[in-house]
Amino acid sequence: MKVLITGATGFLGSHIVDKCIERGDSVRVLVRTSSNLDYLKTYSDIEYVYGDLCELEALKKATQDVDVVYHSAARVKAIGDRQEFYNDNLYATQHIVDASKANGVKRFVFVSSPSIFFDFKEQYDIDESYPYPKTYINLYSETKALAEQYVLAANTADFITCSLRPRGIWGPRDKTGYLPKVVASMMQEKFPDFSGGKEVMATICHVHNAAEACVLAARSESVGGKAYFVTDGEKTNVWTFFKEVGANLSLPPIKKKVSPGLLMFIGGICDLIWRIPALARSVDLPISRYAVGLMTVTSTYDISAAKEDFGYAPKIKQNQGLQELNRWIADIGGVEQYVAHVKN
């Protein structure tokens, strides 16, 4: 198939590129002129369209003669005001959906997130019947939810759309996500245990599994207008996982303990202060209630629908994924290189 991938210079997007090329697909990517193309250039036959997701002419060119669009580009970092999040996550998605539909693209796979449902309540094995919240925890969750709903509403018999919701993506090539940030803090012995002594469970998703889900969904006849949770299929104790990652990298063990209530209080103050647009646009949020909540509130998701509708079967198990992550970190020069892009 001829495919277009957005976010191809990013973490998940680069792995979607791998999966498509493995299957013999012809790959086109939409990238900015300022993007780092080092990894993509390791492939000789990728087609490049330069432009922005809000540039309609670039989108028209990018979606021409394409069978499938994988839209993984998004604003995921904490920096950004309301207008920036709406531009990058909602309006950009609307633009590429409209351009794809107008150009006769047959299938559209959108990368969403379970974060759209986060509300500080324990969530055990929720499935796709779980309703959208009345209010969202932050701008990222709000704009991703609205974008997902736009994608699913655009589904027709001739333009099949679906949305995948991988949770806590981890694995090789991630240098700015939650795991390298945790590792960076552990290296400096600044990462306390704020679990409150309770078991916090999550269902996370290795990047290979997330990318595989994308290409499987693009080939299914059963996904039209539907959203799917995607995980590794294993329930993970968040704090045990962090400690195992640290031990594998020979990092200092987590010793200090901090009350989750205290961090939640501090996060709430930061959330209020960072509503100031000028601050939100220029300075990364140091801590938020959302960030604390992800590590103190159980959230697990049922992937039965993905298994049934497009044959999703997570191939990378956690133990294997951790071994692969350790090898990749060693290959790039060690843990210092792994966290080199993390801002502390």
Side-chain angles (χ1 to χ4, degrees), residues 83-84 87 129 165 174 185 238:
Q83 189 61 50
E84 288 174 318
N87 285 344
S129 65
R165 302 164 175 167
D174 178 18
S185 293
V238 171

Side-chain angles (χ1 to χ4, degrees), residues 290-312:
Y290 170 67
V292 175
L294 289 178
M295 300 185 195
T296 57
V297 178
T298 288
S299 299
T300 60
Y301 304 94
D302 185 343
I303 59 173
S304 298
K307 290 180 177 180
E308 181 175 347
D309 283 2
F310 52 91
Y312 175 65

Side-chain angles (χ1 to χ4, degrees), residues 35-322:
S35 297
N36 184 337
L37 305 179
D38 290 349
Y39 180 76
L40 296 181
K41 290 295 185 180
T42 62
Y43 291 109
S44 60
D45 52 357
I46 289 178
E47 180 185 353
Y48 298 87
V49 173
Y50 293 90
D52 188 273
L53 283 163
C54 289
E55 296 174 11
L56 300 186
E57 282 303 312
L59 291 178
K60 182 178 179 181
K61 180 179 179 182
T63 56
Q64 213 160 32
D65 302 319
V66 164
D67 299 305
V68 180
V69 171
Y70 297 98
H71 180 38
S72 69
R75 176 177 287 270
V76 297
K77 55 188 178 182
I79 293 178
D81 63 12
R82 186 173 190 82
Q83 189 61 50
E84 288 174 318
F85 272 96
Y86 266 76
N87 285 344
D88 292 349
N89 290 348
L90 177 57
Y91 303 146
T93 300
Q94 292 174 338
H95 291 324
I96 195 168
V97 165
D98 294 347
S100 299
K101 203 167 188 177
N103 261 338
V105 173
K106 298 179 180 67
R107 293 172 177 269
F108 191 99
V109 178
F110 176 65
V111 179
S112 183
S113 170
S115 294
I116 62 181
F117 300 102
F118 187 80
D119 60 1
F120 298 107
K121 296 176 183 176
E122 305 282 343
Q123 298 173 341
Y124 294 94
D125 298 334
I126 67 173
D127 63 18
E128 290 77 9
S129 65
Y130 200 84
Y132 291 105
K134 293 180 180 178
T135 58
Y136 295 96
I137 188 61
N138 57 22
L139 287 170
Y140 172 74
S141 299
E142 179 180 336
T143 52
K144 289 296 284 187
L146 294 174
E148 176 181 273
Q149 292 171 73
Y150 190 86
V151 169
L152 300 182
N155 180 72
T156 68
D158 299 320
F159 182 60
I160 297 174
T161 70
C162 67
S163 178
L164 304 187
R165 302 164 175 167
R167 163 72 192 276
I169 304 176
W170 66 288
R173 282 183 236 150
D174 178 18
K175 292 188 177 183
T176 59
Y178 71 93
L179 199 52
K181 288 179 180 177
V182 168
V183 168
S185 293
M186 291 175 70
M187 287 177 66
Q188 299 175 22
E189 299 187 66
K190 293 181 178 179
F191 188 68
D193 181 340
F194 51 95
S195 65
K198 71 174 185 177
E199 185 177 70
V200 183
M201 303 302 293
T203 42
I204 56 179
C205 191
H206 191 276
V207 68
H208 288 329
N209 292 334
E212 180 74 8
C214 289
V215 296
L216 288 172
R219 287 161 166 77
S220 172
E221 299 300 325
S222 304
V223 300
K226 300 178 184 178
Y228 298 91
F229 290 114
V230 178
T231 75
D232 292 335
E234 301 176 76
K235 289 185 174 65
T236 301
N237 184 310
V238 171
W239 291 92
T240 299
F241 179 71
F242 290 154
K243 291 173 183 176
E244 186 173 357
V245 170
N248 287 344
L249 297 174
S250 300
L251 302 180
I254 301 172
K255 296 179 180 179
K256 187 177 180 180
K257 294 185 179 182
V258 175
S259 163
L262 174 62
L263 290 184
M264 195 68 76
F265 175 74
I266 296 171
I269 293 173
C270 289
D271 287 343
L272 286 173
I273 296 173
W274 258 257
R275 289 183 182 179
I276 301 171
L279 187 62
R281 288 193 298 266
S282 58
V283 182
D284 201 356
L285 186 64
I287 188 172
S288 66
R289 294 178 72 246
Y290 170 67
V292 175
L294 289 178
M295 300 185 195
T296 57
V297 178
T298 288
S299 299
T300 60
Y301 304 94
D302 185 343
I303 59 173
S304 298
K307 290 180 177 180
E308 181 175 347
D309 283 2
F310 52 91
Y312 175 65
K315 296 178 181 178
I316 305 296
K317 297 301 181 184
Q318 194 169 107
N319 287 339
Q320 178 186 349
L322 285 170

